[in-house]
Protein backbone atom coordinates (compact mmCIF):
# COMPACT_ATOMS: atom_id res chain seq x y z
CA UNK A 1 0.00 0.00 0.00
CA UNK A 2 1.05 3.58 -0.62
CA UNK A 3 0.56 6.30 1.99
CA UNK A 4 -0.24 9.69 0.54
CA UNK A 5 0.28 12.84 2.58
CA UNK A 6 -1.35 15.90 1.04
CA UNK A 7 -0.69 19.31 2.52
CA UNK A 8 -3.12 22.08 1.63
CA UNK A 9 -1.04 24.87 0.16
CA UNK A 10 -1.60 27.31 -2.69
CA UNK A 11 -0.67 24.47 -5.00
CA UNK A 12 -3.52 23.41 -7.31
CA UNK A 13 -4.88 19.89 -7.21
CA UNK A 14 -3.02 18.51 -10.21
CA UNK A 15 0.22 20.08 -8.97
CA UNK A 16 -0.33 17.91 -5.91
CA UNK A 17 -1.06 14.91 -8.11
CA UNK A 18 2.16 15.56 -10.01
CA UNK A 19 4.08 15.18 -6.78
CA UNK A 20 2.46 11.85 -5.88
CA UNK A 21 4.79 8.91 -6.24
CA UNK A 22 2.66 6.61 -8.36
CA UNK A 23 5.40 4.41 -9.73
CA UNK A 24 4.24 1.41 -7.73
CA UNK A 25 0.57 1.94 -8.53
CA UNK A 26 -0.81 0.03 -11.53
CA UNK A 27 -2.60 2.03 -14.22
CA UNK A 28 -6.04 0.65 -13.40
CA UNK A 29 -5.71 1.90 -9.79
CA UNK A 30 -4.40 5.38 -10.53
CA UNK A 31 -7.77 6.90 -11.31
CA UNK A 32 -9.22 5.63 -8.01
CA UNK A 33 -6.17 6.95 -6.14
CA UNK A 34 -6.59 10.34 -7.80
CA UNK A 35 -10.25 10.47 -6.75
CA UNK A 36 -9.36 9.42 -3.21
CA UNK A 37 -6.84 12.23 -2.98
CA UNK A 38 -9.34 14.56 -4.62
CA UNK A 39 -11.88 13.83 -1.91
CA UNK A 40 -9.44 14.97 0.76
CA UNK A 41 -8.38 17.98 -1.30
CA UNK A 42 -11.97 19.03 -2.09
CA UNK A 43 -12.76 19.15 1.62
CA UNK A 44 -10.37 22.10 1.79
CA UNK A 45 -11.22 23.64 -1.58
CA UNK A 46 -13.56 26.49 -2.40
CA UNK A 47 -17.08 25.00 -2.76
CA UNK A 48 -18.34 27.75 -5.10
CA UNK A 49 -20.45 26.84 -8.15
CA UNK A 50 -18.73 24.98 -10.97
CA UNK A 51 -18.24 26.51 -14.44
CA UNK A 52 -20.72 25.27 -17.11
CA UNK A 53 -18.08 23.41 -19.16
CA UNK A 54 -18.74 19.75 -19.94
CA UNK A 55 -17.02 16.81 -21.56
CA UNK A 56 -19.36 16.28 -24.51
CA UNK A 57 -18.04 13.58 -26.83
CA UNK A 58 -15.17 11.08 -27.04
CA UNK A 59 -13.88 8.91 -29.90
CA UNK A 60 -11.43 6.24 -28.80
CA UNK A 61 -10.81 4.71 -32.23
CA UNK A 62 -11.97 6.42 -35.44
CA UNK A 63 -12.64 4.56 -38.66
CA UNK A 64 -9.91 4.60 -41.32
CA UNK A 65 -7.09 5.78 -39.10
CA UNK A 66 -7.17 9.27 -37.68
CA UNK A 67 -6.48 10.38 -34.11
CA UNK A 68 -8.47 9.77 -30.96
CA UNK A 69 -10.26 12.94 -29.85
CA UNK A 70 -12.50 14.45 -27.24
CA UNK A 71 -14.81 17.43 -27.30
CA UNK A 72 -15.69 20.03 -24.65
CA UNK A 73 -18.76 22.29 -24.73
CA UNK A 74 -19.52 25.60 -23.02
CA UNK A 75 -23.16 25.59 -21.86
CA UNK A 76 -22.88 29.06 -20.35
CA UNK A 77 -23.58 32.51 -21.68
CA UNK A 78 -20.05 33.87 -21.30
CA UNK A 79 -16.62 32.99 -22.61
CA UNK A 80 -14.75 30.92 -20.02
CA UNK A 81 -11.00 30.85 -19.47
CA UNK A 82 -9.51 27.35 -19.50
CA UNK A 83 -6.04 28.48 -18.44
CA UNK A 84 -4.86 26.15 -15.70
CA UNK A 85 -7.55 23.51 -16.39
CA UNK A 86 -6.58 19.86 -16.88
CA UNK A 87 -7.87 16.61 -18.41
CA UNK A 88 -6.83 13.34 -16.76
CA UNK A 89 -6.90 9.96 -18.51
CA UNK A 90 -7.66 7.20 -16.05
CA UNK A 91 -6.06 4.27 -17.83
CA UNK A 92 -2.67 5.92 -18.36
CA UNK A 93 -2.65 8.45 -15.52
CA UNK A 94 -1.46 11.08 -18.02
CA UNK A 95 -2.76 14.62 -17.99
CA UNK A 96 -3.26 17.47 -20.49
CA UNK A 97 -2.85 20.98 -19.08
CA UNK A 98 -5.02 23.39 -21.05
CA UNK A 99 -3.71 26.85 -21.83
CA UNK A 100 -0.08 25.84 -21.27
CA UNK A 101 2.72 26.50 -23.74
CA UNK A 102 1.91 24.54 -26.88
CA UNK A 103 -1.75 24.46 -25.91
CA UNK A 104 -2.62 28.14 -26.28
CA UNK A 105 -5.52 27.43 -28.63
CA UNK A 106 -7.44 26.10 -25.61
CA UNK A 107 -6.98 29.21 -23.46
CA UNK A 108 -10.73 29.89 -23.54
CA UNK A 109 -14.00 28.46 -24.84
CA UNK A 110 -16.83 30.59 -26.27
CA UNK A 111 -20.52 30.21 -25.34
CA UNK A 112 -21.93 27.25 -27.25
CA UNK A 113 -18.55 26.32 -28.69
CA UNK A 114 -17.69 22.66 -29.31
CA UNK A 115 -13.93 22.55 -28.69
CA UNK A 116 -12.26 19.44 -30.15
CA UNK A 117 -8.82 18.24 -28.98
CA UNK A 118 -6.97 15.50 -30.86
CA UNK A 119 -4.36 12.93 -29.89
CA UNK A 120 -0.68 13.91 -30.00
CA UNK A 121 1.41 12.65 -32.88
CA UNK A 122 -1.60 12.04 -35.13
CA UNK A 123 -2.96 15.54 -35.60
CA UNK A 124 -1.87 18.93 -36.97
CA UNK A 125 -3.74 20.80 -34.23
CA UNK A 126 -1.77 22.99 -31.79
CA UNK A 127 -3.12 21.46 -28.58
CA UNK A 128 -2.87 17.67 -28.46
CA UNK A 129 -3.87 14.95 -26.02
CA UNK A 130 -0.74 13.28 -24.59
CA UNK A 131 -2.69 10.05 -24.34
CA UNK A 132 -4.94 7.78 -26.36
CA UNK A 133 -8.23 6.37 -25.12
CA UNK A 134 -9.23 2.73 -25.01
CA UNK A 135 -12.25 1.14 -26.70
CA UNK A 136 -12.08 -1.55 -24.01
CA UNK A 137 -12.97 0.89 -21.25
CA UNK A 138 -11.46 4.12 -19.93
CA UNK A 139 -12.32 7.31 -18.10
CA UNK A 140 -11.65 11.02 -18.43
CA UNK A 141 -11.83 13.62 -15.64
CA UNK A 142 -11.77 17.40 -16.13
CA UNK A 143 -10.53 19.82 -13.44
CA UNK A 144 -10.73 23.58 -13.28
CA UNK A 145 -7.79 25.77 -12.20
CA UNK A 146 -8.75 25.31 -8.54
CA UNK A 147 -8.53 21.55 -8.88
CA UNK A 148 -12.24 20.91 -8.64
CA UNK A 149 -13.79 18.14 -10.72
CA UNK A 150 -15.96 19.94 -13.23
CA UNK A 151 -16.97 16.83 -15.18
CA UNK A 152 -16.02 13.18 -15.63
CA UNK A 153 -17.12 10.19 -17.65
CA UNK A 154 -16.31 6.50 -17.66
CA UNK A 155 -17.14 3.91 -20.31
CA UNK A 156 -16.84 0.17 -20.54
CA UNK A 157 -16.00 -2.26 -23.29
CA UNK A 158 -18.46 -1.86 -26.16
CA UNK A 159 -19.58 1.63 -25.13
CA UNK A 160 -17.18 3.43 -27.50
CA UNK A 161 -16.49 0.90 -30.30
CA UNK A 162 -14.41 1.66 -33.36
CA UNK A 163 -15.98 4.38 -35.51
CA UNK A 164 -18.57 5.40 -32.88
CA UNK A 165 -18.44 7.96 -30.09
CA UNK A 166 -19.29 8.10 -26.38
CA UNK A 167 -21.37 11.26 -26.29
CA UNK A 168 -23.98 13.25 -24.41
CA UNK A 169 -27.45 13.10 -25.98
CA UNK A 170 -29.11 15.59 -25.96
CA UNK A 171 -26.07 17.65 -26.77
CA UNK A 172 -24.23 18.98 -23.73
CA UNK A 173 -26.90 18.14 -21.18
CA UNK A 174 -27.94 14.51 -21.62
CA UNK A 175 -26.37 11.33 -20.30
CA UNK A 176 -23.53 9.65 -22.15
CA UNK A 177 -24.51 7.01 -24.70
CA UNK A 178 -23.03 5.27 -27.75
CA UNK A 179 -23.51 7.36 -30.92
CA UNK A 180 -23.04 5.69 -34.30
CA UNK A 181 -22.09 8.85 -36.21
CA UNK A 182 -19.55 11.04 -34.36
CA UNK A 183 -20.02 14.80 -34.73
CA UNK A 184 -16.72 16.57 -33.90
CA UNK A 185 -17.30 20.30 -33.55
CA UNK A 186 -21.06 19.91 -33.98
CA UNK A 187 -24.09 19.13 -31.80
CA UNK A 188 -24.57 15.49 -30.80
CA UNK A 189 -27.67 13.53 -31.78
CA UNK A 190 -28.65 9.89 -31.72
CA UNK A 191 -26.54 9.37 -34.85
CA UNK A 192 -29.28 9.26 -37.48
CA UNK A 193 -29.67 12.95 -38.21
CA UNK A 194 -28.06 16.03 -36.77
CA UNK A 195 -29.42 19.03 -38.63
CA UNK A 196 -30.69 21.85 -36.41
CA UNK A 197 -34.21 20.70 -37.10
CA UNK A 198 -36.06 18.37 -39.43
CA UNK A 199 -37.81 20.50 -42.01
CA UNK A 200 -41.40 19.48 -42.62
CA UNK A 201 -42.19 21.89 -45.45
CA UNK A 202 -43.07 20.68 -48.93
CA UNK A 203 -40.00 19.81 -51.00
CA UNK A 204 -38.96 20.75 -54.50
CA UNK A 205 -39.38 24.50 -54.74
CA UNK A 206 -37.48 24.36 -58.03
CA UNK A 207 -39.89 21.90 -59.64
CA UNK A 208 -42.85 20.31 -57.89
CA UNK A 209 -43.57 17.81 -60.65
CA UNK A 210 -40.71 15.60 -61.70
CA UNK A 211 -43.07 12.82 -60.69
CA UNK A 212 -46.06 11.42 -62.53
CA UNK A 213 -49.62 12.48 -61.57
CA UNK A 214 -49.89 9.53 -59.20
CA UNK A 215 -46.84 10.88 -57.32
CA UNK A 216 -44.79 7.95 -58.52
CA UNK A 217 -41.21 8.63 -59.65
CA UNK A 218 -40.75 8.41 -63.41
CA UNK A 219 -38.00 6.96 -65.59
CA UNK A 220 -35.51 9.49 -66.99
CA UNK A 221 -35.62 9.85 -70.78
CA UNK A 222 -32.87 8.32 -72.89
CA UNK A 223 -31.24 11.06 -75.00
CA UNK A 224 -28.44 9.19 -76.72
CA UNK A 225 -25.35 7.05 -76.39
CA UNK A 226 -22.12 8.85 -75.56
CA UNK A 227 -19.93 8.35 -78.61
CA UNK A 228 -16.76 9.80 -80.05
CA UNK A 229 -13.18 9.19 -81.00
CA UNK A 230 -12.51 7.84 -77.51
CA UNK A 231 -14.64 5.26 -75.75
CA UNK A 232 -15.71 6.71 -72.40
CA UNK A 233 -16.45 3.67 -70.29
CA UNK A 234 -16.33 4.75 -66.65
CA UNK A 235 -17.98 8.17 -66.72
CA UNK A 236 -18.08 9.62 -63.21
CA UNK A 237 -19.53 13.13 -63.38
CA UNK A 238 -21.49 15.63 -65.47
CA UNK A 239 -22.03 19.41 -65.45
CA UNK A 240 -23.72 21.95 -67.74
CA UNK A 241 -21.27 24.06 -69.74
CA UNK A 242 -21.57 27.75 -68.84
CA UNK A 243 -19.55 29.54 -71.52
CA UNK A 244 -21.17 27.64 -74.40
CA UNK A 245 -24.85 26.71 -74.56
CA UNK A 246 -25.94 23.30 -75.77
CA UNK A 247 -23.13 21.30 -74.16
CA UNK A 248 -22.25 19.24 -71.10
CA UNK A 249 -18.90 18.51 -69.48
CA UNK A 250 -18.12 14.93 -68.42
CA UNK A 251 -15.04 13.08 -67.22
CA UNK A 252 -13.96 9.53 -66.47
CA UNK A 253 -13.27 8.06 -63.05
CA UNK A 254 -9.55 7.64 -62.52
CA UNK A 255 -6.15 9.24 -62.83
CA UNK A 256 -6.46 11.20 -66.08
CA UNK A 257 -7.14 14.92 -65.89
CA UNK A 258 -9.26 14.93 -69.06
CA UNK A 259 -12.66 16.53 -69.60
CA UNK A 260 -14.99 16.03 -72.56
CA UNK A 261 -17.72 18.26 -74.03
CA UNK A 262 -20.89 16.45 -75.09
CA UNK A 263 -23.50 17.76 -77.47
CA UNK A 264 -27.13 17.69 -76.35
CA UNK A 265 -28.90 19.02 -79.44
CA UNK A 266 -30.96 16.64 -81.53
CA UNK A 267 -28.30 16.39 -84.23
CA UNK A 268 -25.37 15.72 -81.86
CA UNK A 269 -26.86 14.34 -78.62
CA UNK A 270 -24.23 12.35 -76.77
CA UNK A 271 -21.43 13.04 -79.25
CA UNK A 272 -18.02 14.06 -77.92
CA UNK A 273 -17.51 17.47 -79.50
CA UNK A 274 -14.31 18.50 -77.73
CA UNK A 275 -11.75 17.07 -75.28
CA UNK A 276 -9.12 18.77 -73.14
CA UNK A 277 -6.13 17.38 -71.24
CA UNK A 278 -5.04 19.48 -68.26
CA UNK A 279 -1.36 19.69 -67.40
CA UNK A 280 -1.69 18.58 -63.78
CA UNK A 281 -1.85 15.15 -62.21
CA UNK A 282 -4.82 13.63 -60.44
CA UNK A 283 -5.13 10.41 -58.46
CA UNK A 284 -8.83 9.53 -58.53
CA UNK A 285 -11.11 12.04 -60.25
CA UNK A 286 -14.69 11.56 -59.02
CA UNK A 287 -16.95 14.52 -59.89
CA UNK A 288 -17.22 17.74 -61.87
CA UNK A 289 -19.17 20.98 -61.45
CA UNK A 290 -19.41 24.36 -63.14
CA UNK A 291 -19.66 27.70 -61.36
CA UNK A 292 -17.78 30.95 -61.15
CA UNK A 293 -14.13 30.73 -60.22
CA UNK A 294 -13.15 31.84 -56.71
CA UNK A 295 -12.64 35.34 -58.13
CA UNK A 296 -16.42 35.53 -58.69
CA UNK A 297 -15.97 36.72 -62.28
CA UNK A 298 -14.46 34.01 -64.48
CA UNK A 299 -16.36 30.82 -65.38
CA UNK A 300 -14.68 27.70 -63.99
CA UNK A 301 -14.82 23.95 -64.29
CA UNK A 302 -14.41 22.46 -60.80
CA UNK A 303 -12.93 18.96 -60.42
CA UNK A 304 -12.93 16.71 -57.33
CA UNK A 305 -9.82 14.55 -57.11
CA UNK A 306 -11.26 13.04 -53.94
CA UNK A 307 -11.76 9.32 -54.53
CA UNK A 308 -10.29 6.72 -52.20
CA UNK A 309 -11.52 3.18 -52.79
CA UNK A 310 -9.20 1.95 -50.05
CA UNK A 311 -10.99 4.06 -47.41
CA UNK A 312 -14.32 2.67 -48.56
CA UNK A 313 -12.98 -0.89 -48.49
CA UNK A 314 -11.58 -0.43 -44.98
CA UNK A 315 -14.95 0.67 -43.64
CA UNK A 316 -16.84 -2.09 -45.46
CA UNK A 317 -14.43 -4.70 -44.12
CA UNK A 318 -14.95 -3.38 -40.62
CA UNK A 319 -18.73 -3.54 -40.99
CA UNK A 320 -18.51 -7.11 -42.33
CA UNK A 321 -16.03 -8.04 -39.58
CA UNK A 322 -13.51 -9.04 -42.23
CA UNK A 323 -9.75 -8.55 -42.19
CA UNK A 324 -8.73 -5.05 -43.31
CA UNK A 325 -7.72 -4.87 -46.99
CA UNK A 326 -4.09 -4.55 -48.01
CA UNK A 327 -4.26 -1.13 -49.64
CA UNK A 328 -2.85 2.37 -49.22
CA UNK A 329 -5.05 5.17 -47.87
CA UNK A 330 -4.86 8.64 -49.38
CA UNK A 331 -3.71 11.35 -46.99
CA UNK A 332 -4.76 14.34 -49.08
CA UNK A 333 -7.59 15.12 -51.49
CA UNK A 334 -7.61 17.99 -53.99
CA UNK A 335 -10.35 20.19 -55.46
CA UNK A 336 -9.39 22.07 -58.63
CA UNK A 337 -10.99 25.14 -60.17
CA UNK A 338 -9.87 25.75 -63.77
CA UNK A 339 -10.97 28.48 -66.13
CA UNK A 340 -13.60 26.90 -68.38
CA UNK A 341 -12.30 26.19 -71.90
CA UNK A 342 -14.01 27.80 -74.87
CA UNK A 343 -15.66 25.35 -77.23
CA UNK A 344 -15.32 25.25 -81.01
CA UNK A 345 -17.71 22.63 -82.32
CA UNK A 346 -16.36 23.00 -85.88
CA UNK A 347 -13.05 21.45 -84.91
CA UNK A 348 -12.56 17.71 -85.55
CA UNK A 349 -11.84 15.84 -82.32
CA UNK A 350 -9.10 13.25 -82.67
CA UNK A 351 -7.50 13.39 -79.24
CA UNK A 352 -7.71 15.60 -76.12
CA UNK A 353 -6.29 19.07 -76.72
CA UNK A 354 -3.53 20.00 -74.23
CA UNK A 355 -4.86 22.71 -71.93
CA UNK A 356 -1.93 24.43 -70.24
CA UNK A 357 -2.88 26.04 -66.94
CA UNK A 358 -1.17 28.84 -65.09
CA UNK A 359 -0.11 30.71 -68.22
CA UNK A 360 -1.77 32.28 -71.23
CA UNK A 361 -4.13 33.97 -68.76
CA UNK A 362 -5.81 30.66 -67.85
CA UNK A 363 -6.65 30.87 -64.18
CA UNK A 364 -6.25 27.77 -62.01
CA UNK A 365 -6.80 27.14 -58.31
CA UNK A 366 -5.62 24.05 -56.42
CA UNK A 367 -7.16 23.40 -52.99
CA UNK A 368 -5.64 20.46 -51.06
CA UNK A 369 -8.11 18.97 -48.58
CA UNK A 370 -7.73 17.37 -45.16
CA UNK A 371 -10.60 16.30 -42.92
CA UNK A 372 -10.88 17.68 -39.42
CA UNK A 373 -11.09 14.42 -37.53
CA UNK A 374 -8.04 13.12 -39.36
CA UNK A 375 -9.95 10.23 -40.90
CA UNK A 376 -9.93 9.12 -44.51
CA UNK A 377 -12.88 9.30 -46.88
CA UNK A 378 -14.04 8.30 -50.33
CA UNK A 379 -15.67 11.49 -51.63
CA UNK A 380 -17.55 11.01 -54.90
CA UNK A 381 -19.87 14.05 -55.01
CA UNK A 382 -18.92 17.70 -55.50
CA UNK A 383 -21.20 20.74 -55.29
CA UNK A 384 -20.10 24.35 -55.76
CA UNK A 385 -21.80 27.59 -54.79
CA UNK A 386 -22.59 29.47 -58.04
CA UNK A 387 -20.41 32.46 -57.10
CA UNK A 388 -17.42 30.14 -56.55
CA UNK A 389 -16.96 31.11 -52.91
CA UNK A 390 -17.56 27.68 -51.34
CA UNK A 391 -17.65 24.03 -52.31
CA UNK A 392 -19.16 20.95 -50.67
CA UNK A 393 -18.27 17.26 -50.71
CA UNK A 394 -20.48 14.26 -49.84
CA UNK A 395 -18.77 11.10 -48.66
CA UNK A 396 -19.42 7.62 -49.94
CA UNK A 397 -17.31 5.95 -47.22
CA UNK A 398 -19.78 5.68 -44.38
CA UNK A 399 -22.15 2.73 -44.37
CA UNK A 400 -24.97 4.89 -43.07
CA UNK A 401 -25.74 8.59 -42.96
CA UNK A 402 -23.14 10.24 -45.26
CA UNK A 403 -21.55 13.44 -44.03
CA UNK A 404 -21.54 16.68 -46.03
CA UNK A 405 -18.28 18.64 -45.72
CA UNK A 406 -18.09 22.36 -46.45
CA UNK A 407 -15.04 24.37 -47.44
CA UNK A 408 -14.07 27.69 -45.97
CA UNK A 409 -14.74 30.84 -48.00
CA UNK A 410 -12.26 30.75 -50.90
CA UNK A 411 -13.42 33.93 -52.64
CA UNK A 412 -10.36 35.87 -51.46
CA UNK A 413 -7.88 33.29 -52.76
CA UNK A 414 -5.89 34.31 -55.85
CA UNK A 415 -5.17 31.78 -58.61
CA UNK A 416 -2.43 29.34 -57.71
CA UNK A 417 -1.60 26.32 -55.58
CA UNK A 418 -2.77 26.85 -52.01
CA UNK A 419 -1.93 25.25 -48.68
CA UNK A 420 -4.15 22.48 -47.40
CA UNK A 421 -7.43 23.49 -45.78
CA UNK A 422 -9.24 21.44 -43.17
CA UNK A 423 -12.88 20.68 -44.04
CA UNK A 424 -15.54 20.33 -41.37
CA UNK A 425 -18.81 18.37 -41.57
CA UNK A 426 -21.92 20.53 -41.73
CA UNK A 427 -24.59 17.83 -41.57
CA UNK A 428 -25.30 14.18 -42.12
CA UNK A 429 -27.87 12.99 -44.65
CA UNK A 430 -30.50 10.32 -44.45
CA UNK A 431 -29.12 8.00 -47.10
CA UNK A 432 -31.56 7.36 -49.98
CA UNK A 433 -32.95 3.84 -49.65
CA UNK A 434 -29.82 2.98 -47.65
CA UNK A 435 -27.75 3.28 -50.82
CA UNK A 436 -24.51 5.20 -51.42
CA UNK A 437 -24.54 8.60 -53.12
CA UNK A 438 -22.50 8.55 -56.33
CA UNK A 439 -23.04 12.10 -57.65
CA UNK A 440 -24.60 15.43 -56.69
CA UNK A 441 -25.33 18.97 -57.84
CA UNK A 442 -26.74 21.98 -56.00
CA UNK A 443 -29.29 24.28 -57.57
CA UNK A 444 -28.31 27.90 -58.24
CA UNK A 445 -30.90 29.05 -55.67
CA UNK A 446 -29.17 27.08 -52.91
CA UNK A 447 -32.55 25.73 -51.80
CA UNK A 448 -32.23 22.24 -53.24
CA UNK A 449 -29.66 19.68 -54.30
CA UNK A 450 -29.96 16.54 -56.37
CA UNK A 451 -28.14 13.25 -55.79
CA UNK A 452 -27.98 10.01 -57.69
CA UNK A 453 -27.35 6.48 -56.52
CA UNK A 454 -25.65 3.81 -58.61
CA UNK A 455 -28.74 1.65 -59.19
CA UNK A 456 -31.65 2.95 -57.13
CA UNK A 457 -32.73 6.20 -58.72
CA UNK A 458 -32.38 9.96 -58.30
CA UNK A 459 -33.31 11.92 -55.17
CA UNK A 460 -33.69 15.51 -54.00
CA UNK A 461 -32.99 17.22 -50.68
CA UNK A 462 -34.21 20.69 -49.72
CA UNK A 463 -32.56 23.40 -47.61
CA UNK A 464 -34.57 25.81 -45.47
CA UNK A 465 -32.06 28.59 -46.07
CA UNK A 466 -29.91 28.96 -49.19
CA UNK A 467 -26.67 26.98 -48.94
CA UNK A 468 -27.27 26.30 -45.22
CA UNK A 469 -26.71 22.58 -44.69
CA UNK A 470 -27.69 22.67 -41.01
CA UNK A 471 -31.35 22.43 -42.05
CA UNK A 472 -31.80 19.64 -44.59
CA UNK A 473 -34.97 17.73 -45.44
CA UNK A 474 -35.32 14.67 -47.63
CA UNK A 475 -34.56 12.63 -49.56
CA UNK A 476 -37.48 12.52 -52.02
CA UNK A 477 -37.21 10.05 -54.88
CA UNK A 478 -37.93 11.73 -58.21
CA UNK A 479 -36.62 9.22 -60.76
CA UNK A 480 -36.61 5.45 -60.86
CA UNK A 481 -33.60 3.34 -61.64
CA UNK A 482 -33.24 3.61 -65.41
CA UNK A 483 -31.85 0.12 -65.80
CA UNK A 484 -28.39 1.47 -66.53
CA UNK A 485 -25.22 -0.23 -65.28
CA UNK A 486 -24.22 2.34 -62.66
CA UNK A 487 -25.48 5.94 -62.47
CA UNK A 488 -22.57 8.20 -61.57
CA UNK A 489 -23.43 11.83 -62.26
CA UNK A 490 -26.27 14.36 -62.05
CA UNK A 491 -26.42 18.03 -63.03
CA UNK A 492 -29.08 20.72 -63.27
CA UNK A 493 -29.90 21.63 -66.85
CA UNK A 494 -28.44 24.95 -68.01
CA UNK A 495 -27.91 23.94 -71.64
CA UNK A 496 -30.79 26.11 -73.02
CA UNK A 497 -31.95 23.22 -75.21
CA UNK A 498 -35.31 22.20 -73.78
CA UNK A 499 -37.89 24.99 -73.29
CA UNK A 500 -38.76 25.64 -69.66
CA UNK A 501 -36.09 23.27 -68.33
CA UNK A 502 -33.46 25.90 -67.52
CA UNK A 503 -32.35 25.21 -63.96
CA UNK A 504 -35.17 22.66 -63.54
CA UNK A 505 -34.40 19.58 -65.60
CA UNK A 506 -31.67 17.14 -64.59
CA UNK A 507 -28.97 15.52 -66.74
CA UNK A 508 -27.83 12.01 -65.74
CA UNK A 509 -24.86 9.91 -66.86
CA UNK A 510 -23.96 6.27 -66.27
CA UNK A 511 -21.02 3.98 -66.77
CA UNK A 512 -21.09 1.58 -69.71
CA UNK A 513 -22.15 -2.04 -69.39
CA UNK A 514 -19.01 -3.40 -71.02
CA UNK A 515 -15.80 -1.86 -72.31
CA UNK A 516 -17.00 -2.18 -75.90
CA UNK A 517 -20.39 -0.55 -75.24
CA UNK A 518 -21.36 3.10 -75.04
CA UNK A 519 -22.61 4.72 -71.83
CA UNK A 520 -26.06 6.34 -71.93
CA UNK A 521 -26.97 10.03 -71.54
CA UNK A 522 -30.36 10.67 -69.89
CA UNK A 523 -32.58 13.64 -69.01
CA UNK A 524 -35.20 14.04 -66.30
CA UNK A 525 -37.64 16.80 -67.21
CA UNK A 526 -39.65 19.03 -64.90
CA UNK A 527 -43.22 18.15 -65.85
CA UNK A 528 -44.59 21.56 -64.77
CA UNK A 529 -42.21 23.50 -66.99
Amino acid sequence: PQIVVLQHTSRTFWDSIRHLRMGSVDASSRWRLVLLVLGAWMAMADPAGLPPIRINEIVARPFSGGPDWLELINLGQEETSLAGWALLDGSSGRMLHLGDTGCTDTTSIRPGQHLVIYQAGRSSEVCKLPFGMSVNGDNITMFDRNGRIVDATEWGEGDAPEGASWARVPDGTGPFTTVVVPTPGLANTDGTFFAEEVVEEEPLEVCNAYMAPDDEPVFPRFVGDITGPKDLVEISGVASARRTSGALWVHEDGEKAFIYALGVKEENAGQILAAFAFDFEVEDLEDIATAKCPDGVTDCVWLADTGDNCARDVVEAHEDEDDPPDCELRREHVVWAVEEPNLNFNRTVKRPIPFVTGDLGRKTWRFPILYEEGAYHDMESLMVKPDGSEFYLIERTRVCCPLVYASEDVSSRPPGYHEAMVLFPTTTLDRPMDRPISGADIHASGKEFAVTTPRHGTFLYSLSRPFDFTQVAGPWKVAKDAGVPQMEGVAYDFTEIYPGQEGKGLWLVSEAVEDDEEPPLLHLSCLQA
Side-chain angles (χ1 to χ4, degrees), residues 257-259 276-280 301 303 338-339 341 353-357:
F258 296 172
I259 62 172
F276 296 90
F278 295 123
D279 61 346
F280 49 76
V301 172
L303 299 168
V338 183
E339 184 173 347
I353 301 169
F355 191 87
V356 181
T357 60

Side-chain angles (χ1 to χ4, degrees), residues 448-478:
E448 173 186 301
F449 62 98
V451 306
T452 190
T453 61
R455 299 179 184 87
H456 289 80
T458 303
F459 300 79
L460 293 181
Y461 295 83
S462 68
L463 306 176
S464 287
R465 296 187 295 265
F467 306 103
D468 180 358
F469 284 88
T470 62
Q471 294 189 347
V472 180
W476 290 276
K477 187 171 185 176
V478 294

Side-chain angles (χ1 to χ4, degrees), residues 242-243 291-293 295 297-302 338-341:
R242 297 303 176 107
R243 283 190 169 179
K292 290 297 182 184
C293 300
D295 62 12
V297 178
T298 314
D299 291 312
C300 260
V301 172
W302 292 71
V338 183
E339 184 173 347
E340 185 176 4

Side-chain angles (χ1 to χ4, degrees), residues 339-373:
E339 184 173 347
E340 185 176 4
N342 291 311
L343 295 175
N344 180 359
F345 293 156
N346 295 321
R347 179 183 297 165
T348 301
V349 181
K350 295 183 178 179
R351 64 182 64 87
I353 301 169
F355 191 87
V356 181
T357 60
D359 64 358
L360 303 177
R362 292 167 175 166
K363 300 175 182 178
T364 304
W365 288 257
R366 181 183 188 271
F367 298 116
I369 301 300
L370 301 174
Y371 301 101
E372 53 77 48
E373 77 275 27

Side-chain angles (χ1 to χ4, degrees), residues 427-451:
T427 194
T428 188
L429 302 175
D430 283 349
R431 199 161 82 161
M433 297 181 65
D434 199 31
R435 302 297 174 181
I437 293 173
S438 55
D441 193 21
I442 192 163
H443 190 264
S445 68
K447 297 277 287 185
E448 173 186 301
F449 62 98
V451 306

